[in-house]
Amino acid sequence: MDPRIRDHAQTVIDHSTDIDSGDRVVIGAPAAASDLVIALYEECANRGAHPVSLQNDSRATRAFLQNYTDTDDFETPSHLLALYQEMDTYIAIRGDENATETADVNPETNAAYRRAMQPVLQERLSKTWCLTQYPTTGNAQLAGMSTEAYENFVWDAVGLDWNAQREHQSQLVDILADADEVRIQSGSNTDVTMRIAGNTALNDYGEKNLPGGEVFTAPIKHSVEGEVHFDMPLYRQGREIEDVRVQFNEGYVESYSAGRNETVLDGIFATDEGARYLGELGIGMNRAIDQFSYNMLFDEKMGDTVHMAVGSAYAETVGEDNERNESAEHVDMIVDMSEDSTIEVDGEIIQRNGTFIFEEEF
């Protein structure tokens, strides 16, 4: 076994989830990530924790969704929900042998399935959890890298000095802590404002997401105004969505378009009412991730980027006096902020062309 796999497992157990004796741990992973699952089991045994693993198989998921006859009849799997209710910690491992496995599933079917699974997702998110990546050949191919290069890319990003990253990102957390309005401009097609007063900006330094490397919060639900050109592509439901443009009015996605696979957006926005409001504003700060890889776990953390997610807001980012946006969806989309771009907080520019006010190059 590559020693970096055991290093990865130790980071998940010690840094991201802080697993202790007696903890009940559920690990969801594809078969291709079995080495990391084994390493996690070893680490759980060393700490007296009790792991259970679930195999996440995209081919099986596709077979189920393609053959289910009545999508209006999807039910929340109560047996899976019961498992999550009993666990203390959930570790999700991504790793695709075929990143486009579910590309031919009807977007409306996907939306119906996500609605049925929402209680399961909410239960998972209420516990200690970590989402991470195993470097598979399918994801390497999607990123346009050799297998070896992709392994180096993943494990370099996972093995960052997270204490140093936390300190660096805390400077942005301090700026946003008492902020009211954020304005994001990029090129001639992105100019959007939103209020965040009363909401909490969180410092993601490799805990819930590994790799981490962002500061994120929730906008006040009805405060988002303006237009955004998400000029970096995203992969969703096995399809590449490009050139997304969204117009917000009083927080609501009033209109939208995409240069490719707009039908996937149709399904996302039709999922439920909350899918047409923003649930997250995130600002990428991980400069160790310096290559776009068609993997949102990494791409949204890149320095010189901003991402916004339509759909559910993380409960811990929403102040008790503000309304939390709820949805079965949470879909991140990215704006490149490296050129002709600014972030303003209460009228003051705090980032220009990807460089923050607290960095020497500003």
Side-chain angles (χ1 to χ4, degrees):
M1 184 184 294
D2 190 315
R4 295 175 296 180
I5 298 175
R6 287 197 167 90
D7 291 341
H8 189 170
Q10 288 177 355
T11 301
V12 171
I13 297 294
D14 291 335
H15 172 74
S16 301
T17 58
D18 193 25
I19 286 174
D20 203 353
S21 177
D23 285 353
R24 295 161 296 185
V25 182
V26 175
I27 302 169
S34 60
D35 279 353
L36 181 54
V37 175
I38 290 168
L40 287 167
Y41 265 60
E42 292 173 346
E43 294 298 327
C44 285
N46 292 337
R47 288 155 184 77
H50 307 290
V52 170
S53 61
L54 303 177
Q55 183 170 312
N56 296 335
D57 188 326
S58 58
R59 290 182 64 193
T61 300
R62 175 192 174 275
F64 177 72
L65 296 178
Q66 288 284 68
N67 289 280
Y68 205 90
T69 55
D70 185 2
T71 58
D72 291 332
D73 194 37
F74 277 133
E75 292 185 358
T76 300
S78 57
H79 51 311
L80 182 60
L81 180 60
L83 175 65
Y84 291 166
Q85 288 170 339
E86 291 297 320
M87 74 181 178
D88 299 302
T89 301
Y90 184 79
I91 299 169
I93 304 171
R94 289 181 177 173
D96 296 307
E97 293 182 281
N98 179 2
T100 63
E101 187 63 56
T102 59
D104 55 356
V105 176
N106 188 309
E108 293 180 1
T109 302
N110 269 307
Y113 183 63
R114 289 188 67 84
R115 286 193 294 271
M117 292 294 290
Q118 186 178 13
V120 175
L121 176 62
Q122 291 302 317
E123 185 64 31
R124 257 175 44 186
L125 293 176
S126 73
K127 305 297 179 69
T128 299
W129 60 272
C130 175
L131 169 64
T132 193
Q133 176 76 36
Y134 186 80
T136 59
T137 54
N139 290 112
Q141 188 174 35
L142 189 63
M145 301 183 199
S146 68
T147 302
E148 181 181 4
Y150 189 67
E151 288 173 346
N152 294 335
F153 172 77
V154 169
W155 284 319
D156 285 349
V158 167
L160 208 62
D161 182 340
W162 294 114
N163 288 328
Q165 190 70 22
R166 177 186 59 199
E167 291 302 314
H168 175 63
Q169 293 175 179
S170 67
Q171 298 172 93
L172 179 57
V173 173
D174 291 342
I175 290 173
L176 297 178
D178 298 317
D180 180 13
E181 184 177 84
V182 178
R183 180 182 185 186
I184 297 165
Q185 295 177 282
S186 182
S188 59
N189 295 311
T190 293
D191 190 350
V192 63
T193 61
M194 62 192 73
R195 295 182 57 237
I196 61 171
N199 286 345
T200 301
L202 296 182
N203 189 341
D204 171 17
Y205 51 93
E207 293 183 306
K208 289 181 169 59
N209 283 182
L210 185 66
E214 65 169 301
V215 171
F216 65 100
T217 188
I220 294 175
K221 182 172 180 176
H222 296 283
S223 72
V224 186
E225 298 283 351
E227 61 181 344
V228 183
H229 178 205
F230 296 104
D231 51 0
M232 301 183 78
L234 69 146
Y235 237 75
R236 188 75 178 178
Q237 300 169 9
R239 302 172 179 88
E240 182 180 5
I241 310 172
E242 292 182 330
D243 193 29
V244 175
R245 298 168 189 265
V246 176
Q247 181 74 42
F248 292 96
N249 180 28
E250 295 184 352
Y252 186 75
V253 175
E254 189 172 61
S255 61
Y256 63 90
S257 65
R260 184 180 182 190
N261 282 320
E262 187 173 309
T263 56
V264 181
L265 282 184
D266 294 339
I268 290 168
F269 289 130
T271 301
D272 49 39
E273 181 183 2
R276 296 190 76 135
Y277 289 87
L278 277 190
E280 179 189 357
L281 167 66
I283 301 172
M285 299 186 71
N286 188 336
R287 301 200 188 280
I289 302 174
D290 58 2
Q291 182 171 342
F292 190 78
S293 63
Y294 290 92
N295 184 334
M296 194 58 69
L297 181 61
F298 291 78
D299 297 339
E300 70 174 7
K301 313 300 192 319
M302 291 175 66
D304 305 348
T305 66
V306 161
H307 59 277
M308 303 172 207
V310 293
S312 62
Y314 294 111
E316 57 266 45
T317 64
V318 181
E320 60 181 25
D321 294 328
N322 289 335
E323 178 184 358
R324 178 189 173 202
N325 190 46
E326 297 188 50
S327 173
E329 287 286 5
H330 182 94
V331 181
D332 295 287
M333 295 179 281
I334 303 175
V335 180
D336 181 357
M337 299 291 289
S338 62
E339 295 181 0
D340 193 22
S341 301
T342 58
I343 301 175
E344 293 181 28
V345 175
D346 294 335
E348 178 183 4
I349 294 176
I350 61 109
Q351 188 199 78
R352 180 183 291 111
N353 299 334
T355 303
F356 291 99
I357 193 171
F358 46 79
E359 296 177 312
E360 293 181 3
E361 302 85 354
F362 186 80

